[in-house]
Amino acid sequence: MVQADTPVREGEEGAWHAYEPVHAFGDSAPPPLQFPCASCGKSFPPNALLTYEGKALCGPCKVSFFQHLKQGTWMEGHEVPGMLWKRVLAKLLDLHLLVLLSSLFSSWMDELGVSPVWAGLLSLMAVGGLLAFFVYSTVHFGGTPGKRLFRLAVVDRDDRRLGFGLALTRLIAELISVACLAMGYLMALIDPERMTLHDRICQTRVVSERAVIA
């Protein structure tokens, strides 16, 4: 059996040397070692990581890590999942608010004898107002009513609350997740950072509220 230290040589006149696995396509060296970042979980070569108290950190995560460390809010895994079941319940609560408001508004319009066209238009305006409130709540409080109930928050790539522009863009991008037969939401089940399609588009994440940098 050929082992790593078995002497071999190339051809009849080649020098003898210890056997080494042959790399495909003429590669002369194995692929470089890579190690995961303790914060984002992505792999990097050793020279691209900073080691602090046994934790390896990539360049983009260093600032965020030390901010969390200073505030006492950093946790292993960088608060990545945000607890999927909490996110599901939070989304169901927000959807229930939308449906409930639309139904109540439509019933009110029927009682007032408003024409169906105007009733539908006013109902859409009411739903639009609630969506605008969701954007306002995300900017000023960190998330929609459902997320706030479960102590979740939406943050940008630097773990800060979203500005108005990004919060509105995320809401619009969420329509793409809905249009894909909710497949955009299911991405969170397989994504290593538990990001949905609209999170990927806007580079946002849902985390525990204690991970938010003010």
Side-chain angles (χ1 to χ4, degrees):
M1 178 181 293
V2 178
Q3 299 179 349
D5 57 351
T6 301
V8 296
R9 67 176 179 177
E10 298 179 4
E12 296 181 356
E13 299 180 357
W16 290 92
H17 57 82
Y19 170 78
E20 295 179 358
V22 178
H23 300 285
F25 305 107
D27 291 342
S28 58
L33 292 175
Q34 292 197 340
F35 300 94
C37 170
S39 180
C40 66
K42 297 178 181 179
S43 296
F44 298 88
N47 59 0
L49 295 169
L50 167 71
T51 302
Y52 177 79
E53 293 186 351
K55 297 178 176 63
L57 300 163
C58 68
C61 291
K62 287 187 293 188
V63 175
S64 175
F65 169 81
F66 286 110
Q67 286 176 319
H68 280 301
L69 194 66
K70 182 178 180 180
Q71 297 179 13
T73 58
W74 192 86
M75 294 180 66
E76 196 71 33
H78 202 54
E79 298 274 6
V80 169
M83 298 299 294
L84 277 178
W85 68 271
K86 288 185 177 182
R87 293 183 63 179
V88 172
L89 292 177
K91 180 58 62 179
L92 290 176
L93 177 60
D94 290 335
L95 290 175
H96 183 72
L97 287 175
L98 285 171
V99 173
L100 181 62
L101 177 64
S102 179
S103 299
L104 290 176
F105 206 81
S106 296
S107 299
W108 183 43
M109 292 295 101
D110 289 340
E111 291 179 1
L112 294 176
V114 178
S115 66
V117 175
W118 278 104
L121 181 60
L122 293 174
S123 294
L124 286 176
M125 291 177 61
V127 171
L130 183 58
L131 292 176
F133 172 73
F134 283 177
V135 172
Y136 175 86
S137 179
T138 298
V139 172
H140 291 278
F141 305 109
T144 59
K147 287 184 176 64
R148 300 309 301 139
L149 179 64
F150 291 98
R151 298 185 179 278
L152 300 175
V154 185
V155 296
D156 62 14
R157 66 180 65 189
D158 297 318
D159 299 319
R160 298 182 183 278
R161 289 180 182 172
L162 308 188
F164 177 80
L166 186 55
L168 180 60
T169 301
R170 187 178 186 275
L171 179 64
I172 296 173
E174 192 167 353
L175 297 178
I176 301 177
S177 294
V178 175
C180 295
L181 301 177
M183 294 298 294
Y185 293 105
L186 296 179
M187 277 183 57
L189 296 175
I190 59 175
D191 189 277
E193 297 183 63
R194 298 293 186 253
M195 295 170 70
T196 58
L197 177 59
H198 45 284
D199 282 323
R200 281 293 174 189
I201 293 174
C202 300
Q203 289 299 294
T204 57
R205 296 186 303 134
V206 178
V207 299
S208 168
E209 67 175 8
R210 68 188 294 262
V212 180
I213 297 176

